[in-house]
Every structure is written in C-alpha cells, then in structure tokens.
Amino acid sequence: EVQLQASGGGLVQTGGSLRLSCAVSGFDFDDYTIGWFRQAPGKEREGASCISTTDGRSYYADSAKGRFTISRDNAKNTVYLQMNSLKPEDTAVYYCALTERVVAFPVNCLTYGMDYWGKGTQVTVSS
C-alpha cells in the first residue's frame, strides 16, 4: 500500500527556514506526481508546490514562488520542500500527496486531485 510520511515541520521565526521531507513507500518511484498541500485553520486546502516526473515540471503557489523549492532524492524515495524566508502566512499543516496518473503541462498539478495523502506536519511561523 502506498504510504506517505511527512516530517520536518516545526516552529520558526519570520524569515527562518524549514525543510520538509516526504518519504514514499509501497510505490514505484519512477513515474508519479507528488506535491505539498497546506491547510491553515478555517481555510481551504491549497497547493504549495508539486512536481511531476512526466515532464519534470514543478509548480508553486504564487505566495511560495521564490521562497520554496521542491526537490527529489530518488535513491531515498523522498521528496523535499525547502522553505526559506518564511512568513506567518505560511503557518499551516502541510500534507504530502501523490497521484499515479499522468499530470503534465498545461495541467497544473496543484489543481489536480491527488490519490494518496499522508499525515500532515505542522509548520508554525511566528512574527
């Protein structure tokens, strides 16, 4: 069974950095679309970043672009989200999610309904 385990959340001050990790198991790591989605209290879930192995494209929420970087380590079957210059607005529970379906340009994988979801990791940014 596909399992996604997110980790790396924590409490940081404004301007600080965190590196989230998502370990994937029970899944062939070769071809997939995976991303990070976040949900703040009282708000709808939104995509932060995603990446597809189909065309190699990555996408970022406008609010995250230039500050967040998504990357993969195939040897470790792990996807990372490096978050720099964090703002209080980034405070949310961050979820790692994956789909086996082909998601390629012009489809933005942040808008696609993912199939598998892991438990969230809390990110809190203080002012």
Side-chain angles (χ1 to χ4, degrees), residues 33 37 50 98-103 107-115 117:
T33 299
F37 298 78
C50 59
L98 179 149
T99 180
E100 300 176 34
R101 294 187 62 183
V102 174
V103 181
V107 176
N108 184 335
C109 50
L110 291 176
T111 68
Y112 189 79
M114 297 292 188
D115 299 315
W117 293 81

Side-chain angles (χ1 to χ4, degrees), residues 4-10 18-23 36 78-81 83 94 96 119-123:
L4 305 171
Q5 185 169 353
S7 62
L18 285 173
R19 187 179 183 88
L20 306 184
S21 299
C22 177
W36 293 92
T78 301
V79 176
Y80 304 96
L81 184 66
M83 305 185 295
Y94 284 70
C96 181
K119 292 183 177 180
T121 184
Q122 177 71 49
V123 172

Side-chain angles (χ1 to χ4, degrees), residues 31-97:
D31 193 15
Y32 61 95
T33 299
I34 191 168
W36 293 92
F37 298 78
R38 62 187 182 183
Q39 187 167 21
K43 295 186 177 181
E44 295 291 324
R45 185 173 60 204
E46 65 172 356
S49 182
C50 59
I51 187 169
S52 174
T53 63
T54 302
D55 57 13
R57 290 179 178 266
S58 59
Y59 296 86
Y60 298 90
D62 289 340
S63 61
K65 189 171 296 184
R67 301 185 298 119
F68 291 8
T69 303
I70 191 168
S71 62
R72 296 182 296 147
D73 186 334
N74 291 339
K76 297 181 179 180
N77 289 342
T78 301
V79 176
Y80 304 96
L81 184 66
Q82 179 67 45
M83 305 185 295
N84 298 326
S85 302
L86 284 164
K87 306 174 182 179
E89 302 94 282
D90 297 317
T91 296
V93 177
Y94 284 70
Y95 300 89
C96 181

